[in-house]
Each structure stands twice: as C-alpha cells, then as structure tokens.
Amino acid sequence: MSSTESHCDRRRYPADHLHQAGTMQSTRTPDPARRKAALAHLVASIAVVGGILAVPRFLWYPGALWPLSGIDRHLLLLFAAVLAVGPALTWLVYRSSKRTLRMDLAVVVLVQLLFLGYATAMLARLRPVYLVGMASHMELVRALDIDPADLALAPEERQRLPWTGPVLVGALPPGGAALFGNDDHARRPVYYFDYSKIGPALAQRGQPADGNGGADARMVPLISQAGRAGIRLDARDGRPLQAVPVDK
C-alpha cells in the first residue's frame, strides 16, 4: 500500500485510529483506583484476621498455655492464605471502567468469606472448654477432645461448651484413681463435679512452687492432648494461679 493510500485511509477512518490510540494508552496507564482498592481490601483483611487470631492468643491460651492449644503452623498458614486471597483477587479483577465490577468484587468477598469461615470453624474446635482437676494433675480439655456421644450423656448445664475460656471442674474415674496422661475421664463431662471437692487435695499432692507464689503455691503438671506445661495452685484451696512453661 502506498503512502498516499494510507493517508487517505486515515482521513477516511479517523475514529478507528483514535480508538486504537486510546486503547493502547489505557493499557499502558495504571489505574490508581485499582491499587487503592487492593490496599483497602488488604487493610480490612488484616483487621478481621488479626481480630480473630487475637482471641485464642490472648483470651483462650495466654502465656504458657499456648503450647497446649494445638494451633499449629498449618492452621496459621490457612489464615495467611485467607489474608492474601482477597486483596490478590481484588487486584486481578478491579478495573474502574468495568460494567460488572460490583459483581466481581462481591464474588471476591464471598470467596474470601468461605475460606475464612472454614478456618474459623477449625479454630473454634480447638478452643479450651474445661480445666479439669484430677488426682495428681490438671488437664486442659478442648472442644475437639470431647466426643459428642459423651457430651449427650452429661447434665444439661454441661452440654453447651463455653466460648470465653475453660470452666474449672474436677473429675475422677469411678474407682477414684487416674493414670497420669492415660485416662480419658477428664474428657468425659459426665464425670465432672465441683472443683472445690478436689482442689485442696490436688494442691497437697503438688510440689512447692518456686518464684511467684512462694510457700503459698504448689506446682502440678498441666497437660492437654496437644502439649504440656505446669500450673501453680493456691496451697490452701487448689485454686489455679498461673500456668508456667516446662522444659522439653
């Protein structure tokens, strides 16, 4: 094609050339609203996920109780994926000129909420529900550790597992003896009774506690299905004072 014919084509179809030039320019220029939307989604995700994870760290398992939680890196990685998937998808789908932008963002939020719901449900199963005094130790029982069939046999007031922290109870097998770490009566609410009936005797079986508490505190083992620690008890009534880490 000669230069004369090309010049004639440009004059004949000026709108086509302008449309192509505008398209090329729009692909080269980044959309500032896209970055803002992804950043806003990231900040919101950090706030939500951080708030959820603060519950087990500071309410359910503060201090030395954390190793007894069973919350491992796989679950934390799942929450990290929840944190990342929403902002990443927002970055991919966001275009200011998109007609279906609202629908796309709604789908992104729905996907993230599904991931978040699954991760939160797994986390809820690891919450501590009972702190059980046994013959020579204490056991921290999580919701996951209690069989639904055993829960159905418990008194009505114990069939609803707590959410704000473990309830202090006592438990002994029918024979009155329990093997340390090998007895499941701590995880069977039908055997629970008021902690005051076993607390003083449990404290007397403990070792003198060093450090905080002095002569007024006794140390007994504290176990769960996920780990172990120690716990200081008041020497008079066996009231739990403080969980302490143990050397592995």
Side-chain angles (χ1 to χ4, degrees), residues 63-212:
L65 291 179
W66 183 253
L68 283 69
S69 67
I71 300 175
D72 58 13
R73 63 178 182 177
H74 298 95
L75 183 56
L76 295 178
L77 285 174
L78 179 58
F79 273 100
V82 172
L83 180 64
V85 67
L89 290 176
T90 295
W91 173 266
L92 289 175
V93 307
Y94 197 95
R95 298 292 185 278
S96 299
S97 58
K98 234 182 182 183
R99 292 182 179 180
T100 60
L101 179 59
R102 291 187 178 180
M103 178 68 70
D104 292 345
L105 292 178
V107 172
V108 168
V109 172
L110 179 60
V111 169
Q112 188 177 25
L113 288 177
L114 289 174
F115 274 96
L116 181 63
Y118 176 73
T120 304
M122 293 183 63
L123 185 64
R125 298 185 66 198
L126 296 175
R127 73 186 189 275
V129 291
Y130 289 108
L131 182 59
V132 186
M134 305 292 287
S136 59
H137 67 281
M138 299 196 76
E139 184 163 343
L140 188 64
V141 179
R142 306 165 301 171
L144 178 69
D145 302 327
I146 298 179
D147 192 305
D150 290 330
L151 190 62
L153 299 175
E156 185 176 354
E157 65 271 14
R158 300 207 188 279
Q159 291 184 7
R160 299 184 64 179
L161 300 178
W163 286 88
T164 56
V167 174
L168 187 62
V169 296
L172 284 176
L179 296 177
F180 175 69
N182 295 316
D183 183 77
D184 67 346
H185 289 83
R187 300 180 291 280
R188 303 181 67 181
V190 69
Y191 291 105
Y192 291 171
F193 52 79
D194 191 274
Y195 178 77
S196 62
K197 297 179 180 179
I198 196 174
L202 176 60
Q204 292 303 314
R205 295 188 181 98
Q207 300 295 322
D210 298 328
N212 295 336

